[in-house]
Amino acid sequence: MSATATTVDPREVERFAALAVEWWNPRGKMRVLHRFNPVRLAYLREKITAHFGRDPRDIRSLEGLRILDIGCGGGLLSEPLARMGARVVGIDPAERNVRIAALHAQESGIAVDYRATTAEALADAGERFDVVMAMEVVEHVADVGLFLARAAEMVTPGGLMVAATLNRTKRSFALAIVGAEYVLGWLPRGTHDWNRFVTPEELQAALEAGGLEMIDREGVVFNPLADEWRRSSDLSVNYMMLAERRAAA
Ligand SMILES: C[S@@+](CC[C@H](N)C(=O)[O-])C[C@H]1O[C@@H](n2cnc3c(N)ncnc32)[C@H](O)[C@@H]1O
């Protein structure tokens, strides 16, 4: 694949770079990510440990696994995964995000290999990982097909890819754009472009085109009564997908 093809939309990256100091403020502009982080982490821990035959109760259950967190932002997922023993490489095209992430990890005493780069650059360099993650990123890239192809390329045989994103439905327009950005003010206006949302069928097809097999998909829904996010079979707004690269027989 061409080394010059890029998935970066400079306006998207600039938007996140401008918010860099907000990453670790649980009441700031990233509060939605903070609120559903426990749900995402529980999913990642459960699925990764089950796949690699690890004990999820072990506090170092991911020991030795090489994990790539694409579009890591401030490291809200990279850090806890590294704490569980994984060797995490966190990448983001926004240099400011990576600087904030590295500073936070240093203050927390956690080793994460943060780099200001892209999935396509790492794929070009021939890097391989046991787990490749793209969490809340595909809806911000310039070319979803290219992005997923380059990300999938880096999954080792027997390894996993996990993606989390927003479905393109009437419901996601009402909740994730009108509700979250305009009515509730949970996210800065313009954070999301509904046309860039990706249906589970499109995501699955792109992962399969990259040689992966979809093995799980799960929704994440907000329960306003309990004021909490939880996992669900409802994929109509937020959802996560797990795919594997089958090891050669
Ligand atoms: C909504 S944030 C998600 C951050 C993190 N994955 C999380 O869930 O906490 C999206 C991130 O994707 C990054 N990003 C945007 N375009 C990208 C691209 N083409 N490749 C990789 N990351 C990208 C942004 O800079 C931003 O940090």
Side-chain angles (χ1 to χ4, degrees), residues 79-162:
E79 261 195 39
L81 294 173
R83 210 187 284 274
M84 289 180 231
R87 288 182 293 132
V88 181
V89 177
I91 63 166
D92 203 290
E95 182 116 35
R96 288 182 71 194
N97 287 345
V98 169
R99 256 189 279 132
I100 295 283
L103 198 62
H104 195 276
Q106 194 183 5
E107 282 169 0
S108 312
I110 298 169
V112 178
D113 179 358
Y114 284 117
R115 306 181 198 172
T117 186
T118 59
E120 46 275 22
L122 282 198
D124 283 339
E127 297 254 13
R128 293 292 178 271
F129 297 87
D130 299 302
V131 182
V132 172
M133 308 186 329
M135 307 296 280
E136 332 302 339
V137 178
V138 296
E139 66 274 25
H140 299 288
V141 307
D143 182 337
V144 181
L146 177 67
F147 175 83
L148 290 167
R150 302 311 315 264
E153 212 177 302
M154 291 187 275
V155 179
T156 53
L160 288 177
M161 168 132 186
V162 195

Side-chain angles (χ1 to χ4, degrees), residues 7-8 13 16 23 33 40 70-73 76 92-94 97 135-137 140-141 147:
T7 69
V8 171
V13 172
F16 285 104
W23 279 110
L33 282 178
R40 302 190 301 169
I70 304 174
C72 61
L76 300 185
D92 203 290
N97 287 345
M135 307 296 280
E136 332 302 339
V137 178
H140 299 288
V141 307
F147 175 83

Side-chain angles (χ1 to χ4, degrees), residues 145-198:
L146 177 67
F147 175 83
L148 290 167
R150 302 311 315 264
E153 212 177 302
M154 291 187 275
V155 179
T156 53
L160 288 177
M161 168 132 186
V162 195
T165 190
L166 281 152
N167 198 346
R168 198 174 60 258
T169 58
K170 284 184 184 152
R171 205 170 145 72
S172 70
F173 185 78
L175 295 181
I177 305 229
V178 179
E181 294 184 16
Y182 290 84
V183 179
L184 297 168
W186 281 356
L187 295 169
R189 291 180 182 185
T191 298
H192 288 122
D193 173 353
W194 182 82
N195 294 300
R196 287 198 166 180
F197 290 2
V198 179

